[in-house]
Amino acid sequence: MSFINLKDITVSYDGKVDILKKLNIDIEEGKLVSLLGPSGCGKTTTLRVVAGFIQPKNGQFICEKEDYTYIPVHKRNFGLVFQSYALFPHLTVFDNVAFGLKMQKVDKKDIKKAVEEILEVVDLKGYNSRYPKELSGGQRQRVALARALVIKPKLLLLDEPLSNLDAKLRLKMRAEIRKLQQKLGITTIFVTHDQEECFSISDKVAVMNGGLIEQYDTPEEIYTNPSSEFVARFVGFENFIELDKIGDNIYQSKSGVKFITDISDKDTKTKEKLVGTIRPDNIKIIDNENEAENNILEGIVDVRTYLGKEYQYSISTEVGTILVNANNEKIYNQGNEVKLYLPANKLVLV
């Protein structure tokens, strides 16, 4: 059963242009859901609607079957971690974490106990008297998490909380966030533009574009089977071929090349014109056509780029330029003629 429901949420800042356009999403209790998309797609606006900072023009926000659409921020009991952490520089770690409990007028003894317990959970035991300026970026982020969690919120909202950290610390902190979320079993919404980051920690991902959710599914399903060209491009598919449907699982390019796919075309079954897409890693350069019966393209190497463990080749074919990643066992040079095999179980239709 859904813990959170956003129903036909529409938001406009100027009364003219809609930032969110009848957005719908259901989130199960105890799950970590990421809102993923480029800048301006509406993911932070969605989070702000949930937090209560923005009231939608239309639609409803339901939490635990109760209408929260017009409930004030301070009555929602949601934990929020900002991109900047928003710690009070003049307060100690203890006082920063205790701030929400003090606002709720919790007894001092209970505050002390709760703060010490949550600081131990986020591995900051003994840091009570330090100030934010005396902490590293990762420690400040954990203080912000502790402050959000100490009030025992119904919902945890994270607005790009790792964007100010260096790459190595980001890896460590995203693992810590996931571990904390699972340990506490708290329903969490995580906003990010980083595909790898959200795929590594999320139960489900909502890929957003232009104020709408293009696909809402598990990270594995979105990565292997995107539902639209936008999602495919956003999650790393780089080769796109316009196709016409000519039979069951059989398609043909404008130049007459036939392709077969084993992957269901989902919502595209009624469409005659489709786009086939495949990742550079999933295309094979073969020595002869006997290695495969279908989905063969002939091409000429235009550019070779060294990627470390492998090379990426830009290859001109009759369906356009195709990017292929191949290992270093055999190296192809500019001008070499090659044959490409696009496996039917890797060719996705959008």
Side-chain angles (χ1 to χ4, degrees):
M1 185 177 291
S2 296
F3 181 71
I4 290 173
N5 310 90
L6 292 176
K7 298 181 178 181
D8 294 328
I9 296 292
T10 300
V11 171
S12 174
Y13 290 125
D14 59 6
K16 298 177 182 178
V17 179
D18 291 337
I19 306 302
L20 299 181
K21 305 166 184 176
K22 291 189 175 181
L23 181 140
N24 290 274
I25 189 171
D26 295 336
I27 298 175
E28 295 179 24
E29 186 171 7
K31 300 298 184 182
L32 192 157
V33 170
S34 287
L35 305 181
L36 174 69
S39 297
C41 70
K43 54 187 185 295
T44 294
T45 298
T46 303
L47 194 79
R48 291 173 69 82
V49 168
V50 173
F53 297 132
I54 297 174
Q55 287 190 353
K57 184 168 69 174
N58 292 302
Q60 278 185 305
F61 166 43
I62 307 296
C63 180
E64 291 187 304
K65 298 183 179 179
E66 183 180 351
D67 191 341
Y68 268 61
T69 312
Y70 301 107
I71 291 179
V73 175
H74 65 280
K75 291 185 178 181
R76 297 195 180 200
N77 193 37
F78 296 165
L80 180 60
V81 178
F82 296 94
Q83 183 176 344
S84 63
Y85 314 142
L87 300 179
F88 300 111
H90 63 289
L91 298 182
T92 63
V93 166
F94 182 93
D95 289 331
N96 262 287
V97 175
F99 184 81
L101 296 175
K102 289 178 179 178
M103 292 298 99
Q104 295 176 354
K105 298 186 176 1
V106 176
D107 183 79
K108 286 185 178 181
K109 288 183 180 179
D110 292 333
I111 290 177
K112 185 174 185 299
K113 181 182 178 183
V115 171
E116 288 179 350
E117 285 178 354
I118 199 65
L119 286 177
E120 189 166 356
V121 168
V122 299
D123 199 25
L124 285 175
K125 185 178 180 180
Y127 284 73
N128 302 39
S129 59
R130 294 198 188 184
Y131 288 87
K133 66 181 180 181
E134 299 173 313
L135 304 175
S136 67
Q139 289 168 337
R140 286 196 292 270
Q141 199 241 26
R142 279 182 277 158
V143 172
L145 273 172
R147 183 177 61 185
L149 292 169
V150 75
I151 61 172
K152 296 183 179 177
K154 287 184 179 182
L155 182 66
L156 179 62
L157 307 175
L158 306 174
D159 188 8
E160 304 214 35
L162 307 180
S163 60
N164 290 332
L165 304 179
D166 61 55
K168 186 175 181 180
L169 191 53
R170 285 173 73 116
L171 290 173
K172 180 182 178 183
M173 290 310 302
R174 76 188 188 196
E176 289 196 20
I177 286 174
R178 182 55 165 164
K179 184 170 69 175
L180 269 175
Q181 185 269 330
Q182 290 182 319
K183 180 179 180 180
L184 299 174
I186 185 170
T187 309
T188 302
I189 301 177
F190 185 97
V191 166
T192 182
H193 62 272
D194 188 313
Q195 170 199 324
E196 180 183 337
E197 185 173 279
C198 89
F199 278 15
S200 67
I201 67 173
S202 304
D203 294 301
K204 294 186 80 173
V205 175
V207 182
M208 296 187 64
N209 176 32
L212 295 169
I213 293 175
E214 291 253 348
Q215 187 170 1
Y216 182 46
D217 217 319
T218 63
E220 295 85 356
E221 181 65 14
I222 290 173
Y223 186 84
T224 59
N225 203 9
S227 63
S228 69
E229 185 172 341
F230 172 84
V231 175
R233 289 184 184 278
F234 197 79
V235 299
F237 284 79
E238 296 187 70
N239 300 302
F240 295 85
I241 306 167
E242 291 186 14
L243 299 172
D244 292 314
K245 188 171 186 175
I246 59 173
D248 290 340
N249 293 332
I250 303 174
Y251 303 86
Q252 183 172 286
S253 71
K254 288 183 177 180
S255 58
V257 181
K258 291 182 180 178
F259 294 95
I260 294 174
T261 177
D262 294 340
I263 297 176
S264 168
D265 49 14
K266 300 168 294 199
D267 299 330
T268 62
K269 289 181 179 179
T270 60
K271 296 180 181 179
E272 293 300 319
K273 292 186 179 295
L274 298 164
V275 174
T277 181
I278 188 168
R279 293 179 182 276
D281 289 333
N282 292 330
I283 299 175
K284 299 177 182 178
I285 300 177
I286 59 177
D287 292 325
N288 59 73
E289 292 190 22
N290 293 330
E291 293 184 44
E293 296 180 359
N294 303 299
N295 298 12
I296 302 296
L297 279 176
E298 294 183 355
I300 297 175
V301 176
D302 283 337
V303 179
R304 183 183 73 218
T305 307
Y306 182 58
L307 302 180
K309 292 183 179 180
E310 58 190 7
Y311 286 99
Q312 182 170 91
Y313 296 95
S314 178
I315 299 171
S316 289
T317 75
E318 55 189 306
V319 299
T321 299
I322 297 292
L323 296 179
V324 181
N325 292 348
N327 60 37
N328 301 338
E329 292 178 5
K330 186 173 181 178
I331 299 175
Y332 299 89
N333 298 312
Q334 185 178 9
N336 284 167
E337 295 183 357
V338 294
K339 287 184 172 64
L340 307 180
Y341 169 51
L342 285 63
N345 64 345
K346 300 295 184 181
L347 183 62
V348 179
L349 298 171
V350 293

